[in-house]
Amino acid sequence: MSRVEAETPRVRLSDYAPPDFLVDRVALRFRLDPGATRVTARIAFRPNPDRRGAPAPRDLLLDGRNLVLHAARIDGAAVPPEALRQGPEGLRVAAAWLPEGDFVWEAETEVAPEANTALEGLYISRGMYCTQCEAQGFRKITFYPDRPDVMAPFRVRIEGDAPVLLSNGNLLGSGPGWAEWEDPFPKPSYLFALVAGDLRAVEDRFKTRSGRDVLLQIWVRPGDEPRCGYAMDALKRAMAWDETEYGREYDLDRFMIVVVDDFNAGAMENKGLNVFNSRYVLASPDTATDSDYKSIEAIVAHEYFHNWTGNRITCRDWFQLCLKEGLTVFRDQQFSSDQRGAGVKRIEDVIRLRATQFREDASPLAHPVRPEEYIEINNFYTATVYEKGAEVIGMLRRIVGPETYARALDLYFDRHDGQACTIEDWLRVFEDASGRDLTQFARWYSQAGTPHVTARGTWEGGLFTLALAQSTAPTAGQPRKAPLLIPVACALFDPETGAPLTETVLELSRERQDFTWDLPARPVVSLLRGFSAPVILSGPAGGNGGAFLLAHETDPFSKWQAGRSLALGILAKTSADPGAAPDPDYLAALARVAEDPALAPDYRALLLDLPSLEEAIAHLVESGRIPDPLALHHARRRLEAAIADSLGPRLRHLYDAHGLDGPYSPDAAAAGHRALRGCALALITAQDAEAALAATHFAAADNMTERMAALSLLVGRNRAEAALAAFRAAWRDDRLVLDKWFAVQAAHSPPETAVATVEALTRDPDFDWQNPNRFRALIGTFANANLAAFHAADGAGYRLLADWLIRLDPVNPQTTARMTSAFATWRSFDAGRQALIRGELRRLGARPGLSRDTGEMVERLLREADG
Ligand code: TRP
Ligand code: ZN
């Protein structure tokens, strides 16, 4: 047994038991002080009538970490010390000291927010008090049954010097040095929030369709008010969308967003008081890129949508995390798709899914969408829970159809409002609404790993047969996999005219299955249209390869995938054989789509964009080969130059034709023109003779999108010295822009110099490594976005990451643990790199006092190596 296991027990889904006590109300009083904040909690408890079979009488178990207990009372009477047992994880009140029925527990505790660098519980970010309670941070604020199936209304009184004092719900009253809040909706403790500081509100209003007038506030530091406009606009659009698409209205008198600089995640959906990482709110044309605007819109919507999917209906336990996260991601994807265009959005989501979730599923970190055990729940806020969780809902919707999906969701909200639910509850509303048995479909929630689907087509005597097969490789703890129900959207095309003959959704439910059609000639098959299932597709009829589909497919995803598959094949071939020429059919087809006026500019930009190094690596691994990151990097560069040669003067034409006049607008259409122009710029400057255009573009840029597009090319081509200096001088006081300055060098520095560049940047006075955004911008970007350098054969990249994780772990375990996942692909590489990565992981794992978060990650990452 490892050290981690010995100290901290595994939590198992199969061990779930309902709480012994329920909470009827909570009243909290905070007296804020940076070094010694006093928290008084009055909690009305009631024995849980549902706690069948539990031996009585029961002790009262309260979670609590790093709390100093000053006083405890039950029904007003002091609890004697012999009734209490306090350990590192909480407090036990002996049953003998508890009244028979209901009682009020009162505790006065002390915490030190200024010493809290982990950014969980109550902490201070640049002078501003802030909380983060999901998943288990509330226990760092006061003693409580800190589990999501205990829901209660909260009343909060805050006392402190800060001019603005905020908590969840509606404001009851306030005066100099105090404020009182009430949240009438019963909620689990993870949705509690408190914020206090010198803040300014940007305000607006929203009228719900039943006539409720809602005050909207975005709270920021003085000076940041002008950068909130886009987030506010996105919020109002999200509120309107949830009414029309899901029939969901907002339920309090005000909705607040608070912007903080130090945050472990993107944002948090606390009831009525969302807390956001500043990078997902603050934007101006001069400081934010098109991609920042897109993320702001998506994340503002995501957190808002949680009000119904997460807050009104929450999770029974943390194994059910995908119940709220998968569904809310699915909803934010639908929203962005409606706002910006479905085809491009789907492709972007698939790129992300493959880069994050497929990678996780192929690694020792693979786990089911609903995990069955954990040591530290913070380690399970993963691409599998979020992104694959959303894919599973997309499949469900495709299988039952959009009308039944809508009825199932209505039923879900009706039946479960105010409850803490499970995936079984979720699937049952679909069974009830559709009349279908979803037992097999439910395996998507319990079985880890990405299924491989192979396809073979034969045509004989007027009959076309498509033979599909599925298999999923073993993952940790799951040696044998059962077949899944896989919706495979499919079209058959006339090989002569290019017209679709049939469009349908095949349900692949067995290991092998044949589908047949009467056809006078052999068709061209397109499978997995719209990426109808999160699987890896291969096989002659299923590769979607070929310039035919790139030319004729009408499904935007599959047309794009056809080109992508060709590009991946070329990269695989030319990385092994640098002299090999890229397929001329591919180059010719690409030239046609680049200029096709029927295709929207943002879509054309995706068609022209080459697969990332990460995707190229994954492609080789999926086909059983060992990738050489540096060789792939150079192959990618050569392919860019070959495309530029083949497109010739047409590139310059694209570049000129998609320049925009007038002021910057972040809308999708304008962003599409900039994306296509940026692609043209990248290809033009891939030719040495034209490299100067990047500097010209940088100098002429009047917005951050174009500035960053040019700067990343300059860095990648080793010509960025002047531009980096100018950029730094112009933005030295802007934290979010300075993050970009670090990140662009970490991501794009050439492999020969990147490690040295990043090392030098770690000594920069502005490398404030305790700030998660800054740490991620430099160290995270290097390890995740500059793979040719990170995987340097001498191990210098690995060492750099491990050194910094060792430094960060005692300060911020959550961010450290998350970043260990950069090592997750280690089994894909050659023996030399494998040994180097394992060595770094063992070095990290052996640190005395290593956090539980990082300890669990290291153990999982190494588990197959050490048996
Ligand atoms: N529930 C948050 C979200 O989706 C995620 C989150 C915010 C989080 N802060 C966190 C997860 C801290 C783990 C730790 O959208
Ligand atoms: Zn979420």
Side-chain angles (χ1 to χ4, degrees):
M1 200 168 17
S2 80
R3 192 166 44 81
V4 170
E5 278 171 303
E7 278 172 14
T8 49
R10 269 166 219 283
V11 184
R12 291 192 171 80
L13 170 58
S14 56
D15 289 342
Y16 173 83
D20 286 333
F21 295 90
L22 300 178
V23 174
D24 285 327
R25 355 175 258 286
V26 178
L28 301 173
R29 175 181 175 209
F30 287 82
R31 275 165 291 171
L32 296 175
D33 180 278
T37 289
R38 286 286 178 124
V39 183
T40 310
R42 300 187 81 240
I43 305 167
F45 282 104
R46 167 166 57 94
N48 185 357
D50 273 2
R51 190 68 174 100
R52 285 176 284 265
R58 308 158 224 171
D59 293 349
L60 174 66
L61 293 171
L62 301 174
D63 301 298
R65 286 173 78 179
N66 306 334
L67 299 174
V68 181
L69 179 62
H70 286 291
R73 283 178 287 273
I74 289 176
D75 290 336
V79 182
E82 64 269 30
L84 298 175
R85 269 212 351 250
Q86 189 177 351
E89 298 295 327
L91 193 63
R92 178 185 290 269
V93 189
W97 297 88
L98 299 175
E100 194 71 10
D102 304 1
F103 60 91
V104 174
W105 160 265
E106 194 177 330
E108 191 171 331
T109 51
E110 184 186 311
V111 291
E114 72 183 359
N116 181 355
T117 58
L119 314 183
E120 186 187 47
L122 177 65
Y123 65 94
I124 297 186
S125 171
R126 289 213 292 152
M128 160 183 166
Y129 291 89
C130 180
T131 56
Q132 170 56 37
C133 292
E134 188 176 7
Q136 301 181 326
F138 191 73
R139 63 188 62 186
K140 292 178 158 184
I141 293 174
T142 190
F143 292 104
Y144 198 75
D146 192 12
R147 45 186 287 169
D149 55 355
V150 172
M151 299 171 82
F154 279 59
R155 248 179 106 122
V156 178
R157 179 180 169 89
I158 312 169
E159 297 168 21
D161 308 330
V164 174
L165 306 167
L166 308 175
S167 191
N168 315 83
N170 299 317
L171 182 65
L172 291 178
S174 65
W178 67 276
E180 273 186 40
W181 295 84
E182 179 179 45
D183 180 2
F185 292 95
K187 66 167 176 286
S189 49
Y190 82 87
L191 291 172
F192 168 80
L194 174 152
V195 169
D198 182 12
L199 298 169
R200 302 293 140 84
V202 172
E203 298 194 341
D204 208 328
R205 306 200 80 90
F206 182 86
K207 182 84 130 206
T208 70
R209 66 174 181 184
S210 71
R212 178 190 285 275
D213 190 30
V214 183
L215 171 63
L216 310 177
Q217 295 178 316
I218 300 183
W219 291 95
V220 293
R221 291 176 188 289
D224 284 338
E225 300 94 320
R227 295 193 193 178
C228 298
Y230 188 77
M232 185 65 92
D233 180 60
L235 173 61
K236 289 187 289 182
R237 285 184 281 121
M239 294 178 83
W241 187 91
D242 214 13
E243 292 187 352
T244 56
E245 301 303 313
Y246 279 83
R248 298 296 107 202
E249 269 185 56
Y250 190 60
D251 51 12
L252 288 163
D253 299 337
R254 70 167 83 196
F255 183 78
M256 298 175 279
I257 287 176
V258 180
V259 174
V260 298
D261 290 314
D262 297 276
F263 203 65
N264 281 338
M268 179 62 211
E269 70 265 24
N270 315 300
K271 181 79 185 187
L273 182 58
N274 287 188
V275 174
F276 271 64
N277 187 323
S278 50
R279 66 177 298 203
Y280 295 119
V281 173
L282 303 181
S284 70
D286 236 6
T287 58
T289 63
D290 288 334
S291 128
D292 294 325
Y293 279 98
K294 206 183 317 187
S295 304
I296 289 168
E297 177 178 85
I299 296 177
V300 166
H302 178 98
E303 304 311 330
Y304 175 74
F305 295 156
H306 267 313
N307 191 53
W308 276 94
T309 53
N311 301 4
R312 292 285 289 255
I313 303 179
T314 194
C315 304
R316 186 193 71 174
D317 55 72
W318 291 116
F319 296 102
Q320 321 295 329
L321 183 57
C322 64
L323 180 77
K324 75 178 178 80
E325 295 303 348
L327 177 55
T328 304
V329 170
F330 182 68
R331 276 151 49 71
D332 85 52
Q333 290 175 345
Q334 288 183 305
F335 170 72
S336 293
S337 175
D338 285 355
Q339 301 286 309
R340 287 169 178 261
V344 164
K345 174 62 178 163
R346 185 64 185 141
I347 294 166
E348 290 170 348
D349 288 342
V350 174
I351 291 173
R352 178 191 173 100
L353 181 80
R354 286 175 171 156
T356 59
Q357 201 280 322
F358 279 25
R359 163 188 152 120
E360 188 165 75
D361 246 354
S363 85
L365 300 179
H367 56 275
V369 170
R370 179 169 69 179
E372 268 144 35
E373 58 173 46
Y374 61 77
I375 289 176
E376 174 51 65
I377 185 58
N378 284 326
N379 289 333
F380 286 83
Y381 285 74
T382 59
T384 297
V385 169
Y386 277 63
E387 262 69 42
K388 190 174 180 180
E391 290 299 317
V392 171
I393 293 173
M395 286 190 285
L396 203 46
R397 184 171 184 271
R398 198 182 279 270
I399 287 169
V400 302
E403 295 79 20
T404 306
Y405 174 82
R407 273 191 289 118
L409 266 285
D410 286 345
L411 188 56
Y412 180 62
F413 294 123
D414 271 3
R415 192 182 277 176
H416 295 297
D417 186 12
Q419 298 177 5
C421 293
T422 62
I423 289 302
E424 283 73 18
D425 296 327
W426 164 253
L427 287 173
R428 196 163 310 113
V429 299
F430 278 86
E431 292 193 323
D432 292 352
S434 69
R436 267 187 84 139
D437 177 350
L438 294 172
T439 312
Q440 187 188 13
F441 184 82
R443 285 181 191 149
W444 280 108
Y445 284 101
S446 58
Q447 198 163 279
T450 305
H452 282 251
V453 172
T454 57
R456 208 164 45 83
T458 46
W459 183 78
E460 228 184 273
L463 190 71
F464 179 66
T465 304
L466 183 67
L468 297 183
Q470 61 165 306
S471 68
T472 304
T475 55
Q478 294 187 336
R480 293 168 57 91
K481 307 285 184 175
L484 297 160
L485 179 63
I486 303 177
V488 181
C490 155
L492 306 182
F493 290 89
D494 184 321
E496 299 302 322
T497 66
L501 303 165
T502 300
E503 300 179 275
T504 183
V505 179
L506 310 172
E507 288 192 4
L508 173 62
S509 59
R510 299 196 296 273
E511 260 161 31
R512 308 177 165 279
Q513 218 166 321
D514 287 356
F515 301 87
T516 58
W517 292 265
D518 290 319
L519 287 175
R522 184 190 174 86
V524 178
V525 184
S526 179
L527 290 177
L528 214 64
R529 298 178 102 201
F531 201 67
S532 58
V535 302
I536 294 166
L537 178 65
S538 59
N544 278 5
F548 180 93
L549 290 177
L550 183 51
H552 297 292
E553 242 298 17
T554 49
D555 176 72
F557 168 77
S558 289
K559 184 186 183 76
W560 169 84
Q561 180 63 56
R564 199 70 157 191
S565 299
L566 289 170
L568 286 167
I570 293 168
L571 291 175
K573 187 158 134 225
T574 60
S575 68
D577 175 8
D583 178 0
D585 283 351
Y586 168 70
L587 296 176
L590 210 56
R592 278 195 299 277
V593 294
E595 289 192 314
D596 185 347
L599 305 174
D602 55 351
Y603 183 59
R604 271 191 275 162
L606 282 173
L607 289 168
L608 278 176
D609 198 29
L610 285 183
S612 64
L613 195 53
E614 168 152 47
E615 222 179 309
I617 290 172
H619 175 73
L620 281 185
V621 175
E622 281 160 15
S623 49
R625 285 168 280 184
I626 294 178
D628 175 346
L630 196 59
L632 278 168
H633 171 81
H634 291 304
R636 206 171 166 279
R637 280 302 176 79
R638 286 193 302 273
L639 183 53
E640 271 179 346
I643 293 171
D645 276 345
S646 132
L647 290 174
R650 279 174 288 202
L651 278 178
R652 195 65 199 220
H653 174 72
L654 272 183
Y655 181 80
D656 293 335
H658 292 277
L660 297 175
D661 298 324
Y664 173 94
S665 156
D667 69 90
H673 288 290
R674 283 186 291 270
L676 184 52
R677 192 166 195 243
C679 262
L681 178 68
L683 291 171
I684 292 169
T685 58
Q687 299 166 303
D688 282 339
E690 304 285 347
L693 186 62
T696 314
H697 191 89
F698 180 80
D702 70 350
N703 61 75
M704 188 51 83
T705 305
E706 294 190 281
R707 215 172 275 132
M708 286 307 294
L711 191 57
S712 62
L713 296 170
L714 289 167
V715 171
R717 287 148 180 55
N718 243 333
R719 294 165 178 264
E721 214 173 309
L724 284 169
F727 188 99
R728 170 110 185 220
W731 302 107
R732 71 170 60 253
D733 297 324
D734 191 301
R735 297 159 68 93
L736 294 175
V737 181
L738 210 50
D739 287 338
K740 295 184 194 301
W741 184 85
F742 280 96
V744 73
Q745 298 179 73
H748 296 283
S749 290
E752 306 77 45
T753 54
V755 172
T757 300
V758 172
E759 261 162 8
L761 287 170
T762 62
R763 293 187 289 272
D764 189 289
D766 281 322
F767 181 56
D768 171 12
W769 59 273
Q770 300 208 13
N771 172 256
N773 284 358
R774 192 60 50 86
F775 191 90
R776 285 187 287 250
L778 185 60
I779 308 297
T781 304
F782 167 72
N784 291 297
N786 197 339
L787 297 186
F790 177 59
H791 291 290
D794 65 357
Y798 306 146
R799 206 174 319 120
L800 193 159
L801 175 63
D803 284 345
W804 279 96
L805 294 179
I806 286 169
R807 183 137 178 212
L808 187 64
D809 187 64
V811 169
N812 187 333
Q814 261 182 51
T815 290
T816 308
R818 188 152 305 186
M819 216 177 277
T820 60
S821 66
F823 286 129
T825 55
W826 68 268
R827 291 188 308 199
S828 306
F829 294 96
D830 54 273
R833 287 187 171 91
Q834 291 199 10
L836 289 166
I837 298 179
R838 284 200 315 255
E840 296 301 339
L841 284 170
R842 293 207 182 93
R843 180 161 72 94
L844 175 59
R847 296 297 295 182
L850 191 71
S851 68
R852 156 202 314 200
D853 309 56
T854 305
E856 181 187 23
M857 292 300 282
V858 170
E859 182 191 301
R860 288 167 65 207
L861 283 163
L862 285 174
R863 63 184 159 192
E864 246 112 325
D866 297 338

